[in-house]
Amino acid sequence: MNRTLYQFPLSHYCEKARWLLDFKDLDYKVTNLFPGAHRVLTVWKANSTTVPTLNDGQEWIGDSTEMAFYLDAKYVLRPLLPSDPEQRRQAIILEEKADKAGIHVRRWAYSQLLATPQVTDLLFDDYPLIKPFKKPLAPFIRRGIAQMYQVNPEKGAQSFAKMMMMAEEFETVLLKNGGRYLVGHHLGLADIAVASLYAPLMTIPETPWASLHASTEAVQQLQHELSARPLGQWLLRLYREERHARGNWRGQ
Ligand SMILES: N[C@@H](CCC(=O)N[C@@H](CS)C(=O)NCC(=O)O)C(=O)O
């Protein structure tokens, strides 16, 4: 197999990329890059500063949205985007919004959880060469993450408001479309983007974030609230019924 997804195990954009590949029924290897050092490879090969980065044969793609377009163009079975032009347009708009919401989900979640031992474990435990240095390195990595993603209580509160406002928008679209999918009558790019980018807020078995549920009161409270709402119930259903993971999020 000549297809590798480079990732951080904890990243929800990487979950989105894994789900895109799984949806397409493609085999792939998952390789973890360490935050910071990842740029050596991603900038060199894909001209991108972020993961997920996909290497598919001769091709390198350094962004999850570009990956979706690339995969749909190259592997035409099981389309991620609808063929109807209006639905296609809607799906692309929703996907872009989901990517923006993902930034707020990440900032809020880190503002609640960055200091917890569970997050430290998730940041280090899948890197056998670095794990032995977890204790001395953890404060530097936490500081780097806080700086890079502007994680602080004030920004966290703003992000909470934004991600909830966007959740409401997605929920309205979902309910208008019958409650099963965001666009049309099949799982597609918009669903995968929204579900994976909000997934860290829920307790979903076999995802990187399953261990975080009991971490803080605010997270528990939000999970409780989301689980009682259509969007949360939809997200849990998608994971239960339509997330057929082939690759292992832990990578190697
Ligand atoms: N627009 C990008 C966003 C990906 C992204 O934000 N990745 C984060 C991890 S969640 C990353 O690589 N951060 C490291 C960095 O910016 O140096 C995509 O959809 O692929």
mmCIF file with all atom_site columns, all heavy atoms in Angstrom, residues 24-40:
data_model
loop_
_atom_site.group_PDB
_atom_site.id
_atom_site.type_symbol
_atom_site.label_atom_id
_atom_site.label_alt_id
_atom_site.label_comp_id
_atom_site.label_asym_id
_atom_site.label_entity_id
_atom_site.label_seq_id
_atom_site.pdbx_PDB_ins_code
_atom_site.Cartn_x
_atom_site.Cartn_y
_atom_site.Cartn_z
_atom_site.occupancy
_atom_site.B_iso_or_equiv
_atom_site.pdbx_formal_charge
_atom_site.auth_seq_id
_atom_site.auth_comp_id
_atom_site.auth_asym_id
_atom_site.auth_atom_id
_atom_site.pdbx_PDB_model_num
ATOM 1   N N   . LYS A 1 24 ? -14.252 6.352  1.686  1.00 0.00 ? 24 LYS A N   1
ATOM 2   C CA  . LYS A 1 24 ? -13.906 5.931  0.320  1.00 0.00 ? 24 LYS A CA  1
ATOM 3   C C   . LYS A 1 24 ? -13.438 4.483  0.267  1.00 0.00 ? 24 LYS A C   1
ATOM 4   O O   . LYS A 1 24 ? -13.061 3.989  -0.804 1.00 0.00 ? 24 LYS A O   1
ATOM 5   C CB  . LYS A 1 24 ? -12.801 6.837  -0.242 1.00 0.00 ? 24 LYS A CB  1
ATOM 6   C CG  . LYS A 1 24 ? -13.259 8.225  -0.613 1.00 0.00 ? 24 LYS A CG  1
ATOM 7   C CD  . LYS A 1 24 ? -14.001 8.215  -1.940 1.00 0.00 ? 24 LYS A CD  1
ATOM 8   C CE  . LYS A 1 24 ? -14.383 9.598  -2.405 1.00 0.00 ? 24 LYS A CE  1
ATOM 9   N NZ  . LYS A 1 24 ? -15.219 9.562  -3.619 1.00 0.00 ? 24 LYS A NZ  1
ATOM 10  N N   . ASP A 1 25 ? -13.395 3.814  1.428  1.00 0.00 ? 25 ASP A N   1
ATOM 11  C CA  . ASP A 1 25 ? -12.944 2.414  1.487  1.00 0.00 ? 25 ASP A CA  1
ATOM 12  C C   . ASP A 1 25 ? -11.511 2.235  1.015  1.00 0.00 ? 25 ASP A C   1
ATOM 13  O O   . ASP A 1 25 ? -11.195 1.242  0.355  1.00 0.00 ? 25 ASP A O   1
ATOM 14  C CB  . ASP A 1 25 ? -13.850 1.520  0.617  1.00 0.00 ? 25 ASP A CB  1
ATOM 15  C CG  . ASP A 1 25 ? -15.076 1.073  1.381  1.00 0.00 ? 25 ASP A CG  1
ATOM 16  O OD1 . ASP A 1 25 ? -15.059 1.116  2.622  1.00 0.00 ? 25 ASP A OD1 1
ATOM 17  O OD2 . ASP A 1 25 ? -16.063 0.689  0.725  1.00 0.00 ? 25 ASP A OD2 1
ATOM 18  N N   . LEU A 1 26 ? -10.672 3.200  1.314  1.00 0.00 ? 26 LEU A N   1
ATOM 19  C CA  . LEU A 1 26 ? -9.280  3.107  0.856  1.00 0.00 ? 26 LEU A CA  1
ATOM 20  C C   . LEU A 1 26 ? -8.391  2.598  1.990  1.00 0.00 ? 26 LEU A C   1
ATOM 21  O O   . LEU A 1 26 ? -8.589  2.961  3.149  1.00 0.00 ? 26 LEU A O   1
ATOM 22  C CB  . LEU A 1 26 ? -8.789  4.500  0.419  1.00 0.00 ? 26 LEU A CB  1
ATOM 23  C CG  . LEU A 1 26 ? -9.509  5.090  -0.798 1.00 0.00 ? 26 LEU A CG  1
ATOM 24  C CD1 . LEU A 1 26 ? -9.161  6.567  -0.952 1.00 0.00 ? 26 LEU A CD1 1
ATOM 25  C CD2 . LEU A 1 26 ? -9.153  4.323  -2.059 1.00 0.00 ? 26 LEU A CD2 1
ATOM 26  N N   . ASP A 1 27 ? -7.423  1.784  1.635  1.00 0.00 ? 27 ASP A N   1
ATOM 27  C CA  . ASP A 1 27 ? -6.432  1.349  2.630  1.00 0.00 ? 27 ASP A CA  1
ATOM 28  C C   . ASP A 1 27 ? -5.401  2.453  2.808  1.00 0.00 ? 27 ASP A C   1
ATOM 29  O O   . ASP A 1 27 ? -5.028  3.105  1.836  1.00 0.00 ? 27 ASP A O   1
ATOM 30  C CB  . ASP A 1 27 ? -5.706  0.097  2.148  1.00 0.00 ? 27 ASP A CB  1
ATOM 31  C CG  . ASP A 1 27 ? -6.618  -1.110 2.219  1.00 0.00 ? 27 ASP A CG  1
ATOM 32  O OD1 . ASP A 1 27 ? -7.494  -1.137 3.111  1.00 0.00 ? 27 ASP A OD1 1
ATOM 33  O OD2 . ASP A 1 27 ? -6.478  -1.999 1.371  1.00 0.00 ? 27 ASP A OD2 1
ATOM 34  N N   . TYR A 1 28 ? -4.935  2.627  4.032  1.00 0.00 ? 28 TYR A N   1
ATOM 35  C CA  . TYR A 1 28 ? -3.898  3.637  4.262  1.00 0.00 ? 28 TYR A CA  1
ATOM 36  C C   . TYR A 1 28 ? -3.172  3.345  5.566  1.00 0.00 ? 28 TYR A C   1
ATOM 37  O O   . TYR A 1 28 ? -3.707  2.663  6.443  1.00 0.00 ? 28 TYR A O   1
ATOM 38  C CB  . TYR A 1 28 ? -4.497  5.049  4.293  1.00 0.00 ? 28 TYR A CB  1
ATOM 39  C CG  . TYR A 1 28 ? -5.555  5.261  5.363  1.00 0.00 ? 28 TYR A CG  1
ATOM 40  C CD1 . TYR A 1 28 ? -5.245  5.875  6.573  1.00 0.00 ? 28 TYR A CD1 1
ATOM 41  C CD2 . TYR A 1 28 ? -6.871  4.846  5.158  1.00 0.00 ? 28 TYR A CD2 1
ATOM 42  C CE1 . TYR A 1 28 ? -6.214  6.077  7.551  1.00 0.00 ? 28 TYR A CE1 1
ATOM 43  C CE2 . TYR A 1 28 ? -7.843  5.036  6.130  1.00 0.00 ? 28 TYR A CE2 1
ATOM 44  C CZ  . TYR A 1 28 ? -7.510  5.653  7.319  1.00 0.00 ? 28 TYR A CZ  1
ATOM 45  O OH  . TYR A 1 28 ? -8.472  5.834  8.284  1.00 0.00 ? 28 TYR A OH  1
ATOM 46  N N   . LYS A 1 29 ? -1.989  3.856  5.615  1.00 0.00 ? 29 LYS A N   1
ATOM 47  C CA  . LYS A 1 29 ? -1.181  3.733  6.833  1.00 0.00 ? 29 LYS A CA  1
ATOM 48  C C   . LYS A 1 29 ? -1.284  5.073  7.559  1.00 0.00 ? 29 LYS A C   1
ATOM 49  O O   . LYS A 1 29 ? -1.364  6.123  6.912  1.00 0.00 ? 29 LYS A O   1
ATOM 50  C CB  . LYS A 1 29 ? 0.266   3.491  6.390  1.00 0.00 ? 29 LYS A CB  1
ATOM 51  C CG  . LYS A 1 29 ? 1.173   2.974  7.450  1.00 0.00 ? 29 LYS A CG  1
ATOM 52  C CD  . LYS A 1 29 ? 2.477   2.553  6.792  1.00 0.00 ? 29 LYS A CD  1
ATOM 53  C CE  . LYS A 1 29 ? 3.543   3.488  7.342  1.00 0.00 ? 29 LYS A CE  1
ATOM 54  N NZ  . LYS A 1 29 ? 4.750   3.528  6.583  1.00 0.00 ? 29 LYS A NZ  1
ATOM 55  N N   . VAL A 1 30 ? -1.296  5.037  8.886  1.00 0.00 ? 30 VAL A N   1
ATOM 56  C CA  . VAL A 1 30 ? -1.355  6.292  9.653  1.00 0.00 ? 30 VAL A CA  1
ATOM 57  C C   . VAL A 1 30 ? -0.014  6.485  10.372 1.00 0.00 ? 30 VAL A C   1
ATOM 58  O O   . VAL A 1 30 ? 0.406   5.625  11.145 1.00 0.00 ? 30 VAL A O   1
ATOM 59  C CB  . VAL A 1 30 ? -2.498  6.246  10.694 1.00 0.00 ? 30 VAL A CB  1
ATOM 60  C CG1 . VAL A 1 30 ? -2.510  7.518  11.526 1.00 0.00 ? 30 VAL A CG1 1
ATOM 61  C CG2 . VAL A 1 30 ? -3.838  6.048  10.008 1.00 0.00 ? 30 VAL A CG2 1
ATOM 62  N N   . THR A 1 31 ? 0.649   7.591  10.086 1.00 0.00 ? 31 THR A N   1
ATOM 63  C CA  . THR A 1 31 ? 1.949   7.860  10.717 1.00 0.00 ? 31 THR A CA  1
ATOM 64  C C   . THR A 1 31 ? 1.873   9.143  11.535 1.00 0.00 ? 31 THR A C   1
ATOM 65  O O   . THR A 1 31 ? 1.436   10.179 11.023 1.00 0.00 ? 31 THR A O   1
ATOM 66  C CB  . THR A 1 31 ? 3.045   7.968  9.633  1.00 0.00 ? 31 THR A CB  1
ATOM 67  O OG1 . THR A 1 31 ? 3.163   6.701  8.990  1.00 0.00 ? 31 THR A OG1 1
ATOM 68  C CG2 . THR A 1 31 ? 4.388   8.334  10.227 1.00 0.00 ? 31 THR A CG2 1
ATOM 69  N N   . ASN A 1 32 ? 2.287   9.050  12.778 1.00 0.00 ? 32 ASN A N   1
ATOM 70  C CA  . ASN A 1 32 ? 2.251   10.231 13.655 1.00 0.00 ? 32 ASN A CA  1
ATOM 71  C C   . ASN A 1 32 ? 3.492   11.095 13.477 1.00 0.00 ? 32 ASN A C   1
ATOM 72  O O   . ASN A 1 32 ? 4.607   10.588 13.451 1.00 0.00 ? 32 ASN A O   1
ATOM 73  C CB  . ASN A 1 32 ? 2.184   9.798  15.121 1.00 0.00 ? 32 ASN A CB  1
ATOM 74  C CG  . ASN A 1 32 ? 0.905   9.058  15.428 1.00 0.00 ? 32 ASN A CG  1
ATOM 75  O OD1 . ASN A 1 32 ? -0.122  9.314  14.803 1.00 0.00 ? 32 ASN A OD1 1
ATOM 76  N ND2 . ASN A 1 32 ? 0.958   8.131  16.365 1.00 0.00 ? 32 ASN A ND2 1
ATOM 77  N N   . LEU A 1 33 ? 3.267   12.386 13.383 1.00 0.00 ? 33 LEU A N   1
ATOM 78  C CA  . LEU A 1 33 ? 4.379   13.342 13.403 1.00 0.00 ? 33 LEU A CA  1
ATOM 79  C C   . LEU A 1 33 ? 4.291   14.086 14.727 1.00 0.00 ? 33 LEU A C   1
ATOM 80  O O   . LEU A 1 33 ? 3.187   14.305 15.240 1.00 0.00 ? 33 LEU A O   1
ATOM 81  C CB  . LEU A 1 33 ? 4.250   14.331 12.237 1.00 0.00 ? 33 LEU A CB  1
ATOM 82  C CG  . LEU A 1 33 ? 4.286   13.724 10.828 1.00 0.00 ? 33 LEU A CG  1
ATOM 83  C CD1 . LEU A 1 33 ? 4.104   14.821 9.788  1.00 0.00 ? 33 LEU A CD1 1
ATOM 84  C CD2 . LEU A 1 33 ? 5.603   12.986 10.580 1.00 0.00 ? 33 LEU A CD2 1
ATOM 85  N N   . PHE A 1 34 ? 5.424   14.485 15.259 1.00 0.00 ? 34 PHE A N   1
ATOM 86  C CA  . PHE A 1 34 ? 5.378   15.198 16.537 1.00 0.00 ? 34 PHE A CA  1
ATOM 87  C C   . PHE A 1 34 ? 5.168   16.697 16.287 1.00 0.00 ? 34 PHE A C   1
ATOM 88  O O   . PHE A 1 34 ? 5.805   17.273 15.394 1.00 0.00 ? 34 PHE A O   1
ATOM 89  C CB  . PHE A 1 34 ? 6.662   14.951 17.344 1.00 0.00 ? 34 PHE A CB  1
ATOM 90  C CG  . PHE A 1 34 ? 6.483   15.302 18.787 1.00 0.00 ? 34 PHE A CG  1
ATOM 91  C CD1 . PHE A 1 34 ? 5.652   14.538 19.599 1.00 0.00 ? 34 PHE A CD1 1
ATOM 92  C CD2 . PHE A 1 34 ? 7.103   16.411 19.341 1.00 0.00 ? 34 PHE A CD2 1
ATOM 93  C CE1 . PHE A 1 34 ? 5.446   14.861 20.935 1.00 0.00 ? 34 PHE A CE1 1
ATOM 94  C CE2 . PHE A 1 34 ? 6.902   16.752 20.665 1.00 0.00 ? 34 PHE A CE2 1
ATOM 95  C CZ  . PHE A 1 34 ? 6.071   15.973 21.468 1.00 0.00 ? 34 PHE A CZ  1
ATOM 96  N N   . PRO A 1 35 ? 4.236   17.317 17.053 1.00 0.00 ? 35 PRO A N   1
ATOM 97  C CA  . PRO A 1 35 ? 3.937   18.736 16.834 1.00 0.00 ? 35 PRO A CA  1
ATOM 98  C C   . PRO A 1 35 ? 5.201   19.596 16.845 1.00 0.00 ? 35 PRO A C   1
ATOM 99  O O   . PRO A 1 35 ? 6.034   19.477 17.732 1.00 0.00 ? 35 PRO A O   1
ATOM 100 C CB  . PRO A 1 35 ? 3.023   19.094 18.016 1.00 0.00 ? 35 PRO A CB  1
ATOM 101 C CG  . PRO A 1 35 ? 2.406   17.795 18.436 1.00 0.00 ? 35 PRO A CG  1
ATOM 102 C CD  . PRO A 1 35 ? 3.422   16.733 18.128 1.00 0.00 ? 35 PRO A CD  1
ATOM 103 N N   . GLY A 1 36 ? 5.301   20.459 15.882 1.00 0.00 ? 36 GLY A N   1
ATOM 104 C CA  . GLY A 1 36 ? 6.495   21.312 15.742 1.00 0.00 ? 36 GLY A CA  1
ATOM 105 C C   . GLY A 1 36 ? 7.399   20.708 14.678 1.00 0.00 ? 36 GLY A C   1
ATOM 106 O O   . GLY A 1 36 ? 7.541   21.247 13.577 1.00 0.00 ? 36 GLY A O   1
ATOM 107 N N   . ALA A 1 37 ? 7.906   19.493 15.001 1.00 0.00 ? 37 ALA A N   1
ATOM 108 C CA  . ALA A 1 37 ? 8.804   18.807 14.061 1.00 0.00 ? 37 ALA A CA  1
ATOM 109 C C   . ALA A 1 37 ? 8.062   18.389 12.785 1.00 0.00 ? 37 ALA A C   1
ATOM 110 O O   . ALA A 1 37 ? 8.681   18.173 11.744 1.00 0.00 ? 37 ALA A O   1
ATOM 111 C CB  . ALA A 1 37 ? 9.410   17.592 14.741 1.00 0.00 ? 37 ALA A CB  1
ATOM 112 N N   . HIS A 1 38 ? 6.729   18.313 12.875 1.00 0.00 ? 38 HIS A N   1
ATOM 113 C CA  . HIS A 1 38 ? 5.950   17.853 11.709 1.00 0.00 ? 38 HIS A CA  1
ATOM 114 C C   . HIS A 1 38 ? 6.210   18.711 10.480 1.00 0.00 ? 38 HIS A C   1
ATOM 115 O O   . HIS A 1 38 ? 6.149   18.252 9.354  1.00 0.00 ? 38 HIS A O   1
ATOM 116 C CB  . HIS A 1 38 ? 4.447   17.880 12.035 1.00 0.00 ? 38 HIS A CB  1
ATOM 117 C CG  . HIS A 1 38 ? 3.839   19.242 12.139 1.00 0.00 ? 38 HIS A CG  1
ATOM 118 N ND1 . HIS A 1 38 ? 3.985   20.045 13.245 1.00 0.00 ? 38 HIS A ND1 1
ATOM 119 C CD2 . HIS A 1 38 ? 3.116   19.979 11.264 1.00 0.00 ? 38 HIS A CD2 1
ATOM 120 C CE1 . HIS A 1 38 ? 3.352   21.189 13.057 1.00 0.00 ? 38 HIS A CE1 1
ATOM 121 N NE2 . HIS A 1 38 ? 2.813   21.176 11.858 1.00 0.00 ? 38 HIS A NE2 1
ATOM 122 N N   . ARG A 1 39 ? 6.521   20.000 10.724 1.00 0.00 ? 39 ARG A N   1
ATOM 123 C CA  . ARG A 1 39 ? 6.620   20.945 9.604  1.00 0.00 ? 39 ARG A CA  1
ATOM 124 C C   . ARG A 1 39 ? 7.759   20.606 8.634  1.00 0.00 ? 39 ARG A C   1
ATOM 125 O O   . ARG A 1 39 ? 7.680   20.947 7.467  1.00 0.00 ? 39 ARG A O   1
ATOM 126 C CB  . ARG A 1 39 ? 6.804   22.370 10.127 1.00 0.00 ? 39 ARG A CB  1
ATOM 127 C CG  . ARG A 1 39 ? 5.543   22.877 10.811 1.00 0.00 ? 39 ARG A CG  1
ATOM 128 C CD  . ARG A 1 39 ? 5.659   24.321 11.194 1.00 0.00 ? 39 ARG A CD  1
ATOM 129 N NE  . ARG A 1 39 ? 4.414   24.780 11.807 1.00 0.00 ? 39 ARG A NE  1
ATOM 130 C CZ  . ARG A 1 39 ? 4.044   26.031 11.873 1.00 0.00 ? 39 ARG A CZ  1
ATOM 131 N NH1 . ARG A 1 39 ? 4.813   26.966 11.373 1.00 0.00 ? 39 ARG A NH1 1
ATOM 132 N NH2 . ARG A 1 39 ? 2.906   26.368 12.440 1.00 0.00 ? 39 ARG A NH2 1
ATOM 133 N N   . VAL A 1 40 ? 8.791   19.938 9.154  1.00 0.00 ? 40 VAL A N   1
ATOM 134 C CA  . VAL A 1 40 ? 9.904   19.570 8.271  1.00 0.00 ? 40 VAL A CA  1
ATOM 135 C C   . VAL A 1 40 ? 9.343   18.797 7.077  1.00 0.00 ? 40 VAL A C   1
ATOM 136 O O   . VAL A 1 40 ? 9.646   19.082 5.917  1.00 0.00 ? 40 VAL A O   1
ATOM 137 C CB  . VAL A 1 40 ? 10.951  18.720 9.041  1.00 0.00 ? 40 VAL A CB  1
ATOM 138 C CG1 . VAL A 1 40 ? 12.038  18.227 8.104  1.00 0.00 ? 40 VAL A CG1 1
ATOM 139 C CG2 . VAL A 1 40 ? 11.532  19.521 10.196 1.00 0.00 ? 40 VAL A CG2 1
#
